Amino acid sequence: MRFLQQESSGIWRACNLFSALEGLALHEEYVLKKNHLIFLFVLACMALIQFTERGIYCPQADVYIDPWLPVDKALITHGHSDHARWGHRHYLCTHAARPVIEYRLGHIAVESVHWGEPVYIHGVRFSFHPAGHIPGSAQIRVEHKGEVWVISGDYKTAPDGLGEPFEPLTCHHFVTESTFGLPVYRWRSQSEIMQDINTWWQCNQAQGKTSVLIAYALGKAQRILSNLEPSIGPILTHGAVENINEVLRTQGLRLPPTQRVEAALNKHLWPQALVLAPPSALNTPWISRFKTASIGIASGWMALRGARRRRAADRGFVLSDHADWPGLQQAIAATGAEYVYVTHGYTDIFTQYLRQCGLQAQAVDTRFSGESLDVPEPETEAP
Amino acid sequence: MRAFAELFLQVDQTNKTNDKIDALAAFLTSAQHEDKLWAVALFCGRRPRRTVSTTLLRQWAAEAAGLPLWLFEDSYHIVGDLAETIALVLPPAKTLQEHSLRYWIDRMRSLEHADDLERKATVLEAWQSLDYSGRFIFNKLITGNWRVGISTKMVAKAIAKAYAIDQNVVLHRLSGQWSPDDLSFDQLILGQQASDDYSKPYPFCLAYPLEEAPCSLGAPTDWYAEYKWDGIRGQIIRRAGELYVWSRGEELVTEKYPEYEVLRTVLPDGTVLDGEIIAWRNEAPLPFAALQTRIGRKNVSKKQLQDTPVIFIAYDLLEYQGRDIRHLPFHQRRHWLEQLVAVAQAPCLLLSPRVPFLHWEALEALRLDAKAIGAEGLMLKKIDSTYKTGRKRGDWWKWKLPPLSVDAVLIYAQQGHGRRANLFTDFTFAVWRGEELVPFTKSYSGLTDEEFREVDAWIRRNTLERFGPVRAVRPELVFEIAFEGIQKSTRHKSGIALRFPRMLRWRKDKKATEANHLKDLLRLLGDECLEAGL
Ligand SMILES: [Zn+2]
Ligand SMILES: [Zn+2]
């Protein structure tokens, strides 16, 4: 069994799929139904997309999507470090995602395409479509002989006014994330949360406190930035955030003016300022330099009281770049897909629920990490 | 309700004690009178009686949210808090209504004799008319699981601040038995109901764990050492001809321990003792598990009285000849306590023996002997200290024995709660029995975030089988598990149960084959039984 799993994950996938269908354990299938296995083998060899040790693989085109181990050709959905990794020989992404990927990975061989522009590789048609997760993030559509797969990477269905809004695509096979795949995650609207953040900033200001807001350096920070009320006061940034700001501004994104935190230059501004910093700055001297400060964290995890309370923060703002429970359900339903593959997060529970809804769902182990607040995002992964 | 929900949110959102107290004080100066009283009652741990079972609440919530029950239950497992889970899964309220906290508490209490249909109607009405935080408070109240980061002491500080009254006076007024039904806020707090309640205990003085070497405390001659007993903290009050027994949770437990009745006749009026309620036989303490059989019972049987007799080990005197003497130095209080106990001559009243020592090294050795006499370690009290309220650093220290530990193999993992909801952090461990690994304990604490992430990543790559949310993993990783005690258990396959198990460290240096055997644990069990005289 281990042999099958490692050497030919296509068979493994097909077996699991069929065992799910028939309610049979894998090894019984193997022992009892040899003929069936031969059939599955044929089917597996034909599968357009396979889940392998290196990542999501298209054998017909010999390309990987967001692979986690080094490969020859990698199609990349977006620039977050668990999706865009260093060490592949060739990269392909959207024009919109490219500058950040290049900034993070350094000198790589990369080509890029327009939204929706078809790319044919060994007869397989690939195209990139907005995933609404962060500026430039894509879902990858794969089509061959009438069979359509969509690998969504990370996605968010509600528009945020900054990145390209999520585009629903129809397909037969949908690879979804489930970072927040539990019914306890329901997001309030972005405008309400941003109002909370702006009010919090003003209250802190009134007490002479610096507002330090923790947010992912790529995506979340710029989303907040573009929705802050700049008339309240100066906006300062941590270097990791500002570097990404610069890349995105060069690309044409409109962000309000910001300046790096530098004691010599702007210490006098701190009591009125809002400071954007990445999770890696939490509990470091970098933060403790703001002697009187209120620390806020913007993350989907802040929806849970336990998460809020166990963090060394004064305020939690529930703001995520991933779809919430209703968003995931709507997105999956809109694809019309019969087969759904679940990555990131609560894969087991989410899969079980989809099965109950009548879909052929399957949990897939990947090395995607989702919106983990505990993992400080490295500024760059290049050695 | 909104003002109270707002207060709750503020208190919940900060981890700074002073901010909490400020928020509370602001609420107390602005809220309606009856809501004030209920807020104080709730924060001091007086909650309304539960009128709806949580099983029903879970069913109704799943139904109202349009979810299968198993999915609701799985979500609950991950969130770790029922009131919160319900508030989160329900669709947004249809029409918001504003009522006082008192209103909702009365509605809840009116359900005590109602049938399930009526209960359901009221609960659904609340869910449909409250926003997220209102629902959360309502659910907290109705599930009776009301634990917030506010202590009675913080409430007292807030009241003291809002009304300019001495904090210790407030604390005393808040202690003892009272109910928001019987009196008003003014009567309770502003003391308009004369302090004629003789049953009121004093707030307990609590000790800090000693983490540094004791020599950091200064001269040994300034300190007084005694054993730290593994019972429950208690106060015995003899006033106006009556006897009252309080346990640390500020619960009146007089009836549970009929052994103490004799103290009513042998202690002089106007006496308050601080000490340990402990099961004791043949001049030695019984394990805590024995006392547990008494804690839950209101009516004690003859057999229980025989099998698990309870005594009181007195270690402090708070009221003497009708006078509050907490401001006097410890050696003075101790001196009078010794006299009282000697005169009383009651078999159920022992004096906590002094552990004499000349220098700290000698005391260290004595501490290691504590186990042999059935104690958890030592207590260190400053000889000239007054009796403080609550936990204050400096005068009282508990110096516990190092925990027991065992090396065990990780065999199952499940996703954790709250902040660690996305990580595998709930582990089941096994030890060897012959060639087989026998699960014997669970643990989900003790590792750093960094280590949890590392183990999580390993689990995802080394899953052998999935059983619902539980994963069986390759039996390779070894952890040192620390625990406070061990007892026999018929409910566990291994035949034992641990008290307070936690991961002490990840033994990356050890292979699974080097983990401990079940017989090592059974040997510890033998020791414990032997010492307890079982
Ligand atoms: Zn991402
Ligand atoms: Zn991701």
Side-chain angles (χ1 to χ4, degrees):
Chain A
M1 192 189 120
R2 198 179 143 76
F3 168 79
L4 284 180
Q5 209 164 336
Q6 279 191 337
E7 297 299 314
S8 185
S9 52
I11 298 184
W12 165 71
R13 184 188 66 75
C15 285
N16 275 342
L17 196 73
F18 274 79
S19 66
L21 280 170
E22 302 184 6
L24 278 168
L26 186 61
H27 62 278
E28 287 169 10
E29 182 105 4
Y30 179 68
V31 177
L32 298 174
K33 299 196 172 182
K34 248 185 188 164
N35 295 342
H36 202 141
L37 198 73
I38 292 165
F39 165 68
L40 291 176
F41 179 77
V42 174
L43 191 109
C45 293
M46 289 159 39
L48 185 54
I49 295 290
Q50 301 178 352
F51 300 96
T52 75
E53 298 270 293
R54 305 196 157 259
I56 301 171
Y57 180 56
C58 176
Q60 173 73 26
D62 194 23
V63 299
Y64 287 83
I65 294 166
D66 292 351
W68 43 86
L69 294 179
V71 300
D72 187 33
K73 284 186 193 129
L75 275 57
I76 305 294
T77 59
H78 66 290
H80 276 150
S81 54
D82 55 330
H83 292 259
R85 295 180 191 254
W86 190 82
H88 310 310
R89 217 175 289 151
H90 302 278
Y91 291 78
L92 180 66
C93 62
T94 61
H95 294 319
R98 180 174 177 161
V100 164
I101 293 174
E102 280 185 304
Y103 164 71
R104 292 202 136 164
L105 302 185
H107 293 288
I108 52 169
V110 57
E111 286 169 67
S112 54
V113 289
H114 285 292
W115 292 112
E117 177 187 339
V119 178
Y120 289 89
I121 307 172
H122 298 312
V124 184
R125 183 187 194 276
F126 293 88
S127 53
F128 292 71
H129 306 265
H133 168 57
I134 58 167
S137 72
Q139 314 176 68
I140 297 179
R141 185 180 180 280
V142 187
E143 183 181 349
H144 185 57
K145 293 185 182 161
E147 183 178 334
V148 179
W149 286 66
V150 170
I151 291 96
S152 60
D154 293 339
Y155 66 93
K156 169 170 101 272
T157 49
D160 57 24
L162 181 69
E164 308 79 0
F166 177 80
E167 178 186 333
L169 299 167
T170 51
C171 57
H172 304 105
H173 300 262
F174 186 55
V175 182
T176 184
E177 60 147 314
S178 67
T179 308
F180 293 104
L182 279 188
V184 295
Y185 296 110
R186 286 171 178 273
W187 311 144
R188 285 161 64 215
S189 72
Q190 173 175 288
S191 61
E192 283 176 81
I193 303 295
M194 284 311 304
Q195 201 172 350
D196 285 355
I197 293 178
N198 284 321
T199 310
W200 168 73
W201 183 9
Q202 279 169 316
C203 288
N204 292 336
Q205 229 177 28
Q207 298 169 50
K209 285 184 187 172
T210 312
S211 306
V212 181
L213 188 53
I214 302 295
Y216 255 20
L218 169 55
K220 184 80 60 69
Q222 292 75 30
R223 178 178 170 195
I224 292 170
L225 203 46
S226 68
N227 287 286
L228 280 172
E229 181 46 60
S231 66
I232 297 176
I235 305 171
L236 306 183
T237 49
H238 183 279
V241 173
E242 196 54 35
N243 293 345
I244 301 283
N245 287 351
E246 278 170 12
V247 174
L248 293 181
R249 277 195 186 108
T250 317
Q251 214 176 317
L253 252 78
R254 290 171 65 97
L255 298 172
T258 51
Q259 46 177 300
R260 287 171 199 262
V261 170
E262 270 169 82
L265 293 178
N266 48 32
K267 196 167 185 179
H268 62 287
L269 295 176
W270 293 359
Q272 295 100 52
L274 183 138
V275 178
L276 275 170
S280 57
L282 266 176
N283 308 319
T284 63
W286 192 90
I287 288 239
S288 42
R289 70 167 86 182
F290 304 105
K291 291 281 179 293
T292 46
S294 178
I295 314 274
I297 297 181
S299 161
W301 298 116
M302 293 294 117
L304 299 193
R305 232 177 116 229
R308 281 200 302 273
R309 293 199 322 178
R310 269 164 256 160
R311 288 252 136 215
D314 303 300
R315 268 302 282 274
F317 298 100
V318 187
L319 191 73
S320 176
D321 291 336
H322 295 263
D324 64 354
W325 173 262
L328 290 168
Q329 305 301 333
Q330 283 156 20
I332 291 169
T335 62
E338 192 184 339
Y339 298 93
V340 180
Y341 309 85
V342 183
T343 67
H344 290 78
Y346 301 101
T347 49
D348 297 344
I349 297 173
F350 197 71
T351 303
Q352 200 180 336
Y353 180 72
L354 293 181
R355 284 185 186 164
Q356 198 167 339
C357 296
L359 293 168
Q360 301 299 340
Q362 172 89 17
V364 182
D365 272 338
T366 62
R367 305 244 181 112
F368 302 139
S369 58
E371 181 171 320
S372 176
L373 245 189
D374 296 320
V375 184
E377 235 185 320
E379 280 182 44
T380 165
E381 289 222 318
Chain B
M1 190 81 142
R2 194 162 297 151
F4 183 71
E6 185 72 24
L7 166 68
F8 185 89
L9 217 68
Q10 280 180 343
V11 165
D12 203 41
Q13 269 171 352
T14 176
N15 44 24
K16 294 181 184 119
T17 307
N18 281 335
D19 289 356
K20 291 184 186 190
I21 292 170
D22 287 349
L24 205 54
F27 172 84
L28 288 173
T29 42
S30 63
Q32 296 172 9
H33 253 63
E34 48 182 21
D35 276 10
K36 269 196 254 189
L37 184 61
W38 263 112
V40 168
L42 290 169
F43 288 132
C44 293
R46 282 167 178 72
R47 43 181 171 263
R49 191 191 298 258
R50 211 163 79 186
T51 50
V52 182
S53 77
T54 52
T55 315
L56 283 175
L57 285 172
R58 279 134 81 156
Q59 284 169 11
W60 299 340
E63 198 183 306
L67 300 172
L69 190 60
W70 69 263
L71 180 56
F72 178 83
E73 298 288 357
D74 276 9
S75 304
Y76 170 34
H77 171 82
I78 285 164
V79 175
D81 181 310
L82 184 60
E84 187 185 357
T85 311
I86 295 176
L88 287 168
V89 299
L90 293 171
K94 287 181 187 141
T95 42
L96 291 177
Q97 282 176 38
E98 175 56 18
H99 293 290
S100 67
L101 170 65
R102 177 69 188 253
Y103 168 86
W104 285 115
I105 290 176
D106 286 345
R107 287 289 303 271
M108 255 173 245
R109 294 201 297 178
S110 72
L111 298 178
E112 193 165 349
H113 303 290
D115 58 17
D116 282 352
L117 237 95
E118 205 179 324
R119 288 182 173 150
K120 186 175 178 181
T122 305
V123 169
L124 288 181
E125 186 196 322
W127 287 346
Q128 278 160 11
S129 58
L130 292 166
D131 64 1
Y132 168 78
S133 48
R135 274 175 192 170
F136 175 69
I137 303 282
F138 176 86
N139 295 342
K140 277 276 165 203
L141 292 170
I142 204 161
T143 54
N145 175 5
W146 185 261
R147 238 180 307 149
V148 288
I150 288 206
S151 62
T152 304
K153 191 170 167 187
M154 285 157 72
V155 175
K157 275 193 173 164
I159 294 174
K161 191 169 173 174
Y163 294 94
I165 321 173
D166 181 76
Q167 181 193 324
N168 286 320
V169 173
V170 178
L171 258 178
H172 195 225
R173 284 175 187 161
L174 288 177
S175 60
Q177 257 176 349
W178 56 272
S179 152
D181 293 325
D182 305 335
L183 75 188
S184 71
F185 183 77
D186 288 355
Q187 282 171 332
L188 175 73
I189 298 308
L190 311 178
Q192 283 161 11
Q193 160 227 40
S195 59
D196 54 0
D197 182 357
Y198 292 116
S199 74
K200 276 197 171 166
Y202 292 103
F204 286 94
C205 173
L206 305 174
Y208 260 97
L210 185 66
E211 264 133 29
E212 283 163 51
C215 53
S216 63
L217 298 177
T221 46
D222 290 345
W223 292 86
Y224 188 96
E226 48 191 312
Y227 290 112
K228 176 166 181 2
W229 303 101
D230 192 11
I232 45 175
R233 187 75 178 275
Q235 226 174 91
I236 290 186
I237 296 172
R238 168 71 168 78
R239 284 185 197 134
E242 291 296 323
L243 187 84
Y244 306 94
V245 182
W246 289 88
S247 73
R248 161 92 192 282
E250 296 205 358
E251 212 189 327
L252 195 56
V253 292
T254 320
E255 275 121 65
K256 288 187 183 173
Y257 306 106
E259 289 98 334
Y260 299 155
E261 174 55 26
V262 60
L263 297 176
R264 190 151 70 96
T265 45
V266 300
L267 288 176
D269 212 55
T271 302
V272 178
L273 303 177
D274 179 15
E276 202 84 0
I277 298 169
I278 190 165
W280 190 273
R281 205 172 53 197
N282 300 337
E283 301 185 349
L286 296 175
F288 188 76
L291 181 62
Q292 261 171 333
T293 64
R294 294 282 305 265
I295 293 173
R297 296 286 185 101
K298 215 166 198 148
N299 302 310
V300 200
S301 68
K302 266 222 170 84
K303 183 162 180 341
Q304 274 186 309
L305 281 175
Q306 249 165 29
D307 291 351
T308 3
V310 163
I311 61 147
F312 192 78
I313 302 181
Y315 38 62
D316 214 325
L317 182 66
L318 311 184
E319 193 171 301
Y320 182 55
Q321 296 175 344
R323 269 193 318 137
D324 176 357
I325 57 164
R326 292 176 297 162
H327 60 284
L328 296 179
F330 176 70
H331 61 83
Q332 178 65 67
R333 302 198 307 272
R334 171 82 192 186
H335 174 69
W336 284 328
L337 177 68
E338 285 169 8
Q339 286 182 349
L340 272 176
V341 175
V343 171
Q345 293 245 0
C348 69
L349 179 64
L350 298 188
L351 183 72
S352 174
R354 177 174 194 166
V355 180
F357 67 103
L358 287 175
H359 44 80
W360 293 117
E361 292 77 25
L363 192 62
E364 175 102 52
L366 288 166
R367 178 178 72 123
L368 297 175
D369 288 345
K371 196 161 166 21
I373 72 144
E376 283 188 290
L378 293 174
M379 289 290 301
L380 294 171
K381 295 176 182 172
K382 204 154 187 200
I383 280 178
D384 60 3
S385 62
T386 59
Y387 190 90
K388 302 280 187 335
T389 294
R391 213 181 285 276
K392 286 233 171 68
R393 206 170 261 281
D395 291 344
W396 282 29
W397 298 97
K398 49 184 174 193
W399 193 21
K400 285 208 195 181
L401 286 169
L404 304 162
S405 80
V406 64
D407 290 332
V409 184
L410 171 67
I411 56 167
Y412 301 121
Q414 191 169 358
Q415 278 174 336
H417 305 294
R419 173 161 74 93
R420 295 183 170 141
N422 52 332
L423 293 178
F424 283 92
T425 57
D426 294 9
F427 303 147
T428 301
F429 294 98
V431 283
W432 295 102
R433 182 171 59 198
E435 299 286 286
E436 182 198 12
L437 279 167
V438 194
F440 72 105
T441 193
K442 284 187 169 200
S443 177
Y444 38 81
S445 63
L447 297 186
T448 63
D449 286 354
E450 186 66 38
E451 287 169 323
F452 268 126
R453 279 199 294 277
E454 203 180 329
V455 181
D456 176 82
W458 182 90
I459 287 166
R460 288 173 198 276
R461 277 179 277 119
N462 291 276
T463 299
L464 296 177
E465 247 179 301
R466 299 170 186 216
F467 315 97
V470 179
R471 292 186 179 203
V473 300
R474 234 172 267 287
E476 280 173 8
L477 303 190
V478 179
F479 293 83
E480 184 174 353
I481 310 295
F483 52 96
E484 301 292 335
I486 181 168
Q487 62 198 64
K488 279 187 191 152
S489 161
T490 45
R491 281 185 306 150
H492 297 82
K493 194 177 170 189
S494 60
I496 50 163
L498 303 186
R499 257 181 93 199
F500 301 127
R502 61 204 179 272
M503 287 171 268
L504 204 58
R505 79 196 108 208
W506 182 357
R507 297 298 304 257
K508 291 187 177 176
D509 56 321
K510 287 207 169 183
K511 290 203 189 78
T513 48
E514 295 172 80
N516 278 93
H517 285 253
L518 185 59
K519 57 177 190 283
D520 303 329
L521 280 162
L522 294 173
R523 199 172 301 131
L524 289 173
L525 186 70
D527 290 354
E528 289 244 316
C529 290
L530 220 66
E531 279 152 25
L534 281 176

